[in-house]
Amino acid sequence: QELKPASRHVSRSDRRVPFSERGHLLQVRWMHVPYLHDMTFQNQLMNSRKKSVPEFLSSRQRSPLWLSDQSHATMRLMRYGHVAGIDRPVARIVLGSTSFAQGRADLAKDLIETYLAAGGNIVDTAAIYGGGWSDRNIGEWLRTGGRREDILILSKGAHHDSRGDRVSATEISYDLGLSLERMGTDHVDLYVLHRDDPNVHVSEVMNTLHHHHARGRIRAIGGSNWSIPRIEEANGYARQHDLVQFSAS
């Protein structure tokens, strides 16, 4: 799909992922690959532990995105975008990690390795996912042979909970620190606020994110479930005060 300027609120259900290019917030349709983001596939893989990932994939009908050679299925059609603040192309197919549950470190490893072999390079996690096990299983992969330079990490924080809204300097900092500790890394490449609270002034949000950006813990920032006017307000404040701006949503 061609990139085009984002013109309205972008929600999860739209399955669209805005990227930033030349300082503009752009919108690109999410490309769906059943092998990488389909719970049926992940559950079947989880129950087929005796097979290697290539053997398991070859036993299923292949997606049109997959090209076969004499060995096994590989994918050469990955497409990439650019996110301001990240110094290399970002795959437009992002690997989700909500299935990386407790006791599923092997599944997480298999999915990450298969995704990387397909040309992917970014995994989406969040402090709230799996009670922290998404972060921990990514960390386990990194500790047992995964190279940090091979993967970009998109992490999210400040999701609301039973106590109410959590978009504040304290909660943003807490979730970021918790995720970094669980994954055993000193930075995330893209840090996205999971939710918004219009009652919180953008100054608190942007000053907090810039604080962590300036200390190298965050390369780029974004907002999930934020409205376009709210993003524009936040970026306007950031420009006025020479702070890092949202580059994804």
Side-chain angles (χ1 to χ4, degrees):
Q1 299 290 330
E2 294 297 320
L3 292 174
K4 60 182 180 179
S7 59
R8 62 183 179 82
H9 174 67
V10 181
S11 68
R12 267 186 177 177
S13 59
D14 290 329
R15 298 187 72 77
R16 294 171 184 266
V17 181
F19 284 79
S20 177
E21 192 169 272
R22 296 185 297 277
H24 298 286
L25 197 68
L26 302 177
Q27 184 172 299
V28 57
R29 183 178 296 277
W30 179 274
M31 294 175 61
H32 179 64
V33 176
Y35 287 157
L36 300 182
H37 205 77
D38 182 83
M39 290 304 296
T40 300
F41 161 69
Q42 293 179 4
N43 289 335
Q44 289 178 355
L45 176 59
M46 199 160 41
N47 295 325
S48 303
R49 302 304 308 150
K50 294 182 180 180
K51 294 183 179 180
S52 68
V53 169
E55 290 172 339
F56 179 75
L57 292 177
S58 65
S59 70
R60 293 169 50 89
Q61 182 179 359
R62 291 170 181 166
S63 161
L65 290 177
W66 290 78
L67 306 177
S68 63
D69 55 22
Q70 295 298 320
S71 57
H72 60 271
T74 57
M75 190 173 79
R76 302 298 181 193
L77 301 179
M78 184 65 71
R79 302 176 72 183
Y80 301 84
H82 295 277
V83 176
I86 297 180
D87 61 2
R88 56 173 159 151
V90 179
R92 293 191 184 179
I93 300 175
V94 179
L95 178 63
S97 64
T98 55
S99 64
F100 294 3
Q102 184 174 4
R104 300 301 184 187
D106 287 344
L107 171 65
K109 179 180 179 180
D110 284 348
L111 288 173
I112 293 171
E113 294 291 348
T114 303
Y115 169 72
L116 291 175
N121 67 356
I122 181 167
V123 61
D124 175 352
T125 185
I128 197 173
Y129 286 171
W133 283 99
S134 292
D135 285 349
R136 292 187 186 97
N137 283 327
I138 292 170
E140 181 65 16
W141 174 76
L142 289 171
R143 285 187 290 274
T144 57
R147 298 192 307 167
R148 181 64 179 87
E149 60 268 29
D150 288 344
I151 196 83
L152 297 169
I153 297 176
L154 186 169
S155 183
K156 299 187 294 296
H159 195 289
H160 306 329
D161 61 18
S162 59
R163 297 172 297 171
D165 296 343
R166 297 182 62 249
V167 182
S168 69
T170 299
E171 300 290 1
I172 292 169
S173 299
Y174 176 80
D175 282 0
L176 174 61
L178 193 60
S179 286
L180 291 176
E181 180 180 356
R182 288 167 173 168
M183 289 186 284
T185 185
D186 62 358
H187 74 281
V188 295
D189 301 280
L190 176 58
Y191 194 67
V192 175
L193 297 184
H194 219 150
R195 290 288 186 271
D196 186 22
D197 180 359
N199 295 317
V200 176
H201 195 273
V202 293
S203 60
E204 179 175 355
V205 173
M206 302 309 284
N207 286 333
T208 301
L209 292 173
H210 185 80
H211 170 85
H212 295 294
H213 177 268
R215 285 155 180 77
R217 299 171 190 138
I218 299 170
R219 299 288 189 261
I221 65 171
S224 174
N225 301 291
W226 279 54
S227 68
I228 294 298
R230 178 75 163 165
I231 291 174
E232 291 174 343
E233 180 186 359
N235 279 349
Y237 176 87
R239 282 191 298 270
Q240 291 176 4
H241 296 85
D242 197 25
L243 307 177
V244 63
Q245 299 179 42
F246 282 175
S247 56
S249 174

